Amino acid sequence: MNATPSAAEPGQATCPPSRMANAIRALAMDAVQKANSGHPGAPMGMADMAVALWSRHLRHNPANPGWSDRDRFVLSNGHASMLLYALLHLTGYDLPIEELKRFRQLHSRTPGHPEVGLTPGVETTTGPLGQGIANAVGMALAERLMAARFNRPGLSLVDHHTFCFVGDGCLMEGISHEACSLAGTLGLSRLIVLYDDNGISIDGKVEHWFRDDTTRRFEAYGWNVIAGIDGHDIDAVDAAIRLAKSSDRPSLLVCRTTIGKGAPTRAGTAKAHGEPLGEAEIGATRAQLGWSAGPFEIDESVYAAWNARETGRGVESQWRATFNQYREKYPELAAEFERRMAGNLPADWAARAASVLARVSAEAGTVATRKASQIVLTELVRELPEMIGGSADLTGSNLTDWKDAVPVRADSLARGEAGRHINYGVREFGMAAVMNGMALHGGLLPFGGTFLTFSDYSRNAIRMAALMKQRVVHVFTHDSIGLGEDGPTHQPVEHVTSLRIIPNLDVWRPCDTAETATAWLSAVSRRDGPSALVLSRQNLPAITRDATTQAAMARGGYVLRDAPDARAVLVATGSEVTIALQAADSLAATGRPVRVVSMPSTTVFDRQDREYRDAVLPRELPVVAVEAGVTDFWCKYVGRDGEVIGIDTFGESAPAPALYQHFGITPAAVAEAVGRVVG
């Protein structure tokens, strides 16, 4: 199944590998020069490594970039994007030379850093250093889990490698430690990382700030390390990759290279890193490389040597023949594999979702929404075998496990057995980026938990999931000062708002079991982005709803309790919904009826049509918002005539009831605010 393309493709006889590498160098320096922006040095330095990998090992089909059993290639040092764009163009992907000429221009398919979903053949969006290698860990883990689930003796549907290029910057970022430590612990042998060890970053020679013994560092993780490779010796890199493929551990290939290779005065300097070479240096480089073609000119012998369409068609054809045999023998498994890799939910999902909501709502009681989440999760994992999740060492607090959850362990993976619960260790950032990699690989629906205040650690990976439109679910518990005695270090104040302002991230802060179920169902049903579930530590009562109100929860904000002749609207989320209802009772007793709106997801509510939003929040009624967090966010709902009951300082260490009283987030305070806004 895991056939390797031959070392000599058609056309290579008339085009030596060194010339194939020089084609990458020429395209990189030409594109950066034309854009007057970009990073030519890294593509020029890694060109020989790319020849070894892409022409002799990488199993892919340019005509079908989404073929499920392709090898994954991640360019973690995404500033070297022209390396990837040159490779995609030369090997036959739908990326014409005109797009390379439009590098970094508006609406081109060659943006400054690679973007998944925009450029065919790009597996993940990279640029924030270190996250690409963490994504690659997630992809390699997904490959092993999917192989364990679906492969059968003699019929392997999942049998590929994940390759990743990294630079010094990726290894300086702390996330590389988190992800690579996990990869070594789990023994992800299908992960092969090629380290572009050029010793240069933007500020100059890294020896002044980065002297890690990288070889021993990765050996300590449990990796197979092949050091001392001349990164400009294509045969040596090729041989190292072959050795790595035979290892039972993830592999790091340390390739010593020269940044800006071929440039007479810029090679080996920081000036080659992040600025155009200049016309004079480009001319001198062409002469030194023996490259006589003009800008963006590639002769047919080079194209013929690089063309991977025929080889790609062949390896995919072999796989499809195997898949057809598999489907005949295991039709149900084959259908599940296709469904999961397509990212589709079961055909009868609407009915299943309604059943889940009905079951958990019927069992609802006074529980913390983190516990309600576990109740819902227990139902969902039965319905969706693609769900896999865990926690950053807080499983017992996040409640991201369920009865009979099978853990993911190195020994079970080595035996071809799949678990569904991941102990990520204290690695919030790594967890979030690994989940992104699993989602990008396909076939899995990842979720992971930590305390809400630690979302700061994982924030950039959350942002990347939103940017890449990946279905990932973040479970954030201990959502407010309501967690109590742990104090301000653990009490989120600004965090819910900071998550809400990330574009394309759906944020849910439910008030009870029914809303928690709605949040989960929305998150797993969503195909165009991630979701964050913000859950309480303290118990919250179940709220009675009629069928209409129950159905409206999915719209993000809805009228939970109305009153004839309401004089104001109370809007609340999470644990503060109960406070709003208690305030409404006291106001009604004094002849000031109010409407109570629960808004578990402002992001979903804001996507509703104006007619619905105005029906929930009538423009003629003043609004008082209640949330145990920063108040500025709610101004867009309350306007100048409303008020917000919240907290704009850090918390304190005390029992939760005392804290709510201390910070004035009480029914009495809400009632007083209504009195002020209605006169």
Side-chain angles (χ1 to χ4, degrees):
M1 278 298 300
N2 202 350
T4 299
S6 62
E9 297 297 331
Q12 288 186 18
T14 57
C15 178
S18 60
R19 186 164 175 78
M20 296 171 67
N22 287 341
I24 295 173
R25 295 185 173 102
L27 288 172
M29 62 185 182
D30 288 344
V32 171
Q33 186 65 30
K34 188 173 190 301
N36 196 30
S37 173
H39 301 75
M44 296 173 73
M46 293 189 289
D48 302 298
M49 295 160 55
V51 172
L53 174 60
W54 278 66
S55 71
R56 303 183 183 183
H57 293 276
L58 197 71
R59 297 171 61 254
H60 64 121
N61 183 5
N64 183 15
W67 167 43
S68 62
D69 201 37
R70 68 193 181 277
D71 286 340
R72 271 58 169 181
F73 174 76
V74 174
L75 184 67
S76 187
N77 41 351
H79 57 271
S81 57
M82 268 309 305
L83 173 78
L84 182 51
Y85 299 149
L87 287 165
L88 295 172
H89 168 71
L90 292 167
T91 55
Y93 285 80
D94 181 20
L95 194 68
I97 196 71
E98 287 74 19
E99 290 294 340
L100 274 63
K101 294 177 181 178
R102 298 178 61 225
F103 178 54
R104 291 189 164 218
Q105 304 309 298
L106 185 64
H107 302 317
S108 77
R109 285 192 285 166
T110 50
H113 293 83
E115 296 183 28
V116 68
L118 176 64
T119 311
V122 171
E123 299 284 3
T124 180
T125 301
T126 54
L129 294 176
Q131 287 196 61
I133 190 171
N135 293 164
V137 171
M139 293 175 186
L141 176 56
E143 190 273 343
R144 289 291 81 198
L145 291 169
M146 291 291 286
R149 173 69 183 93
F150 289 101
N151 289 354
R152 295 295 182 270
L155 295 171
S156 295
L157 298 188
V158 186
D159 188 15
H160 56 265
H161 286 83
T162 300
F163 295 97
C164 181
F165 279 12
V166 303
D168 292 300
C170 294
L171 298 188
M172 281 188 260
E173 289 285 0
I175 190 175
S176 70
H177 165 72
E178 295 184 27
C180 294
S181 172
L182 181 64
T185 300
L186 293 177
L188 301 180
S189 60
R190 297 303 183 91
L191 174 61
I192 300 176
V193 177
L194 285 77
Y195 169 29
D196 177 32
D197 182 17
N198 62 44
I200 296 292
S201 66
I202 290 176
D203 282 354
K205 293 183 178 180
V206 302
E207 64 187 24
H208 301 298
W209 47 85
F210 183 54
R211 294 190 181 182
D212 297 16
D213 188 333
T214 300
T215 295
R216 294 177 66 186
R217 170 186 164 189
F218 275 78
E219 287 175 345
Y221 293 152
W223 285 51
N224 166 48
V225 181
I226 305 174
I229 304 167
D230 179 353
H232 300 301
D233 183 336
I234 294 171
D235 291 335
V237 177
D238 170 29
I241 294 172
R242 294 180 188 279
L243 280 174
K245 283 183 171 181
S246 65
S247 176
D248 60 357
R249 295 175 290 166
S251 294
L252 179 75
L253 280 52
V254 183
C255 303
R256 188 65 182 175
T257 65
T258 300
I259 192 169
K261 173 74 171 176
T265 67
R266 294 285 184 91
T269 71
K271 276 194 165 293
H273 188 286
E275 60 184 69
L277 296 181
E279 295 292 355
E281 184 77 357
I282 288 176
T285 304
R286 275 184 153 78
Q288 182 160 300
L289 295 176
W291 189 268
S292 59
F296 299 103
E297 291 180 3
I298 305 292
D299 64 50
E300 288 305 316
S301 66
V302 174
Y303 277 125
W306 269 115
N307 191 346
R309 282 180 170 264
E310 183 177 348
T311 302
R313 186 164 47 248
V315 293
E316 182 178 352
S317 178
Q318 293 175 26
W319 180 86
R320 294 206 173 275
T322 299
F323 182 75
N324 289 336
Q325 297 176 43
Y326 185 98
R327 180 157 43 198
E328 288 182 9
K329 193 168 185 179
Y330 308 105
E332 292 184 2
L333 276 175
E336 183 189 345
F337 177 81
E338 289 185 307
R339 176 187 71 77
R340 286 172 55 168
M341 289 304 298
N344 296 327
L345 295 176
D348 59 346
W349 177 244
R352 293 194 194 192
S355 177
V356 168
L357 181 59
R359 289 199 300 273
V360 299
S361 296
E363 299 174 8
T366 298
V367 296
T369 51
R370 62 170 177 164
K371 180 60 180 178
S373 171
Q374 186 182 46
I375 294 169
V376 179
L377 184 59
T378 300
E379 297 286 344
L380 286 177
V381 294
R382 296 191 189 112
E383 304 288 349
L384 297 173
E386 58 264 46
M387 290 186 71
I388 181 166
S391 170
D393 204 50
L394 289 168
T395 301
S397 294
N398 301 147
L399 303 183
T400 45
D401 60 350
W402 58 97
K403 185 180 179 182
D404 301 325
V406 178
V408 175
R409 296 287 187 265
D411 55 352
S412 58
L413 286 175
R415 293 193 302 269
E417 300 171 2
R420 294 180 68 185
H421 184 268
I422 303 173
N423 298 102
Y424 283 100
V426 188
R427 302 182 178 103
E428 295 88 358
F429 193 6
M431 174 180 69
V434 166
M435 288 197 296
N436 289 348
M438 287 194 287
L440 286 158
H441 177 277
L444 300 174
L445 200 168
F447 61 91
T450 187
F451 288 171
L452 177 58
T453 191
F454 302 145
S455 64
D456 286 337
Y457 285 151
S458 51
R459 183 179 179 83
N460 199 261
I462 299 170
R463 181 181 187 271
M464 294 302 291
L467 179 63
M468 295 188 288
K469 301 180 179 179
Q470 293 303 301
R471 179 165 50 191
V472 173
V473 185
H474 294 274
V475 180
F476 295 123
T477 66
H478 297 60
D479 68 340
S480 69
I481 58 171
L483 67 87
E485 293 84 349
D486 273 345
T489 60
H490 285 52
Q491 292 167 0
V493 174
E494 76 279 17
H495 295 76
V496 179
T497 288
S498 72
L499 291 173
R500 286 172 178 147
I501 62 177
I502 297 176
N504 199 42
L505 173 66
D506 277 359
V507 181
W508 291 84
R509 187 172 183 245
C511 72
D512 68 353
T513 300
E515 283 191 359
T516 304
T518 297
W520 261 112
L521 292 169
S522 173
V524 300
S525 299
R526 194 176 179 219
R527 296 194 58 165
D528 60 351
S531 300
L533 278 53
V534 179
L535 309 171
S536 75
R537 176 181 183 268
Q538 71 272 35
N539 290 341
L540 303 176
I543 297 171
T544 302
R545 300 173 180 82
D546 59 25
T548 301
T549 307
Q550 188 100 340
M553 290 187 295
R555 304 190 75 168
Y558 62 100
V559 179
L560 178 60
R561 181 193 295 176
D562 212 351
D565 303 318
R567 299 178 62 186
V569 179
L570 301 182
V571 181
T573 75
S575 48
E576 289 74 70
V577 170
T578 300
I579 292 174
L581 290 170
Q582 292 169 347
D585 289 339
S586 66
L587 287 164
T590 59
R592 291 175 292 175
V594 296
R595 168 182 286 189
V596 178
V597 169
S598 178
M599 197 175 288
S601 179
T602 62
T603 46
V604 173
F605 178 75
D606 288 347
R607 288 201 299 269
Q608 305 304 310
D609 59 76
R610 180 177 293 275
E611 182 180 3
Y612 178 78
R613 286 182 282 128
D614 285 347
V616 173
L617 300 176
R619 293 174 179 268
E620 65 273 14
L621 293 179
V623 177
V624 173
V626 192
E627 185 172 66
V630 293
T631 59
D632 281 355
F633 171 82
W634 290 98
C635 292
K636 67 176 181 176
Y637 298 108
V638 306
R640 293 184 178 181
D641 299 325
E643 284 200 22
V644 183
I645 304 296
I647 174 173
D648 289 312
T649 67
F650 293 113
E652 298 283 350
S653 181
L659 291 171
Y660 273 87
Q661 189 69 38
H662 172 73
F663 287 108
I665 306 173
T666 63
V670 175
E672 290 171 7
V674 170
R676 290 191 294 271
V677 301
V678 301

